[in-house]
Amino acid sequence: MSEVKVLLLRGVNVSGANRLPMPEFRQMLLEQGLQQIHTHLQSGNAVYLDPGVAGVETKITTAMKERFGFAPPMFVMTLKEYDAILAANPFKKQGEADGTGVHIYFLASPAAATAVQALSVHAANGEQILFSDKAVYLLAPNGIGRSVLATKLEAGLSMVKTARNQTSATAIAALARTITV
């Protein structure tokens, strides 16, 4: 059964590390049997139609290692799963006003309750943080670059994660909706 999927890679094209040219990345995904592939920005965001390729995540990881020499952590989810994470964002309204002040950290596994408590104490200047099993939602109204909480979140949450600001996250969802099944 064909499904629209969202693929987020962690740490590509950041400060010159893990260079991943988007045209070559799209071609590699096409070679894995995926269809209607689109990328958003240069940071490892892709949407595609998966016609039911068996072991697609393993195939992508292997192909990335062979073609680009690295395989960063990867988050693959159906558009329905992705939309549910975005819909659960408690800071959606603030993100509509300033999408760069709201960040969604996609998690490979749920965060421990102790980590949640330890991070919450670092909130300052209107910052807020909320956790779900699939994501951490961060409101950083003064910007993520000035946020001690964001720095602590990155360092203090040891699980595999990748973040997108609300502007990028909603643009990725919109791009995925252009795919026809």
Side-chain angles (χ1 to χ4, degrees):
M1 180 172 139
S2 294
E3 282 188 290
V4 176
K5 293 192 177 172
V6 175
L7 166 65
L8 305 175
L9 298 176
R10 176 178 168 80
V12 299
N13 296 334
V14 178
S15 301
N18 292 339
R19 288 227 352 102
L20 183 64
M22 292 299 109
E24 289 179 45
F25 179 53
R26 287 190 297 273
Q27 180 60 37
M28 184 215 68
L29 292 173
L30 185 65
E31 291 166 4
Q32 305 316 305
L34 305 175
Q35 303 167 352
Q36 298 184 54
I37 302 155
H38 305 283
T39 53
H40 175 69
L41 302 175
Q42 298 293 315
S43 54
N45 306 305
V47 295
Y48 58 85
L49 181 66
D50 181 351
V53 176
V56 69
E57 290 180 45
T58 302
K59 288 180 178 182
I60 293 170
T61 298
T62 301
M64 286 198 67
K65 284 180 185 173
E66 290 173 0
R67 192 174 197 142
F68 303 110
F70 67 96
M74 174 177 28
F75 295 79
V76 177
M77 60 205 93
T78 65
L79 178 56
K80 183 178 178 179
E81 292 167 330
Y82 186 78
D83 279 341
I85 291 169
L86 297 188
N89 180 0
F91 309 120
K92 206 176 333 181
K93 290 276 189 227
Q94 294 94 325
E96 288 170 4
D98 178 12
T100 62
V102 175
H103 284 72
I104 302 166
Y105 290 76
F106 296 84
L107 304 176
S109 59
T114 54
V116 172
Q117 288 177 322
L119 288 169
S120 295
V121 301
H122 298 288
N125 302 319
E127 295 176 330
Q128 294 181 51
I129 188 169
L130 290 170
F131 290 73
S132 76
D133 285 347
K134 303 275 183 191
V136 174
Y137 303 96
L138 171 66
L139 172 63
N142 296 318
I144 196 164
R146 296 183 189 108
S147 172
V148 172
L149 179 56
T151 302
K152 298 287 186 184
L153 190 151
E154 195 57 46
L157 213 55
S158 59
M159 77 219 3
V160 177
K161 60 196 165 297
T162 191
R164 300 297 183 270
N165 68 38
Q166 184 169 320
T167 300
S168 290
T170 55
I172 293 165
L175 188 59
R177 285 188 193 78
T178 66
I179 296 173
T180 56
V181 180

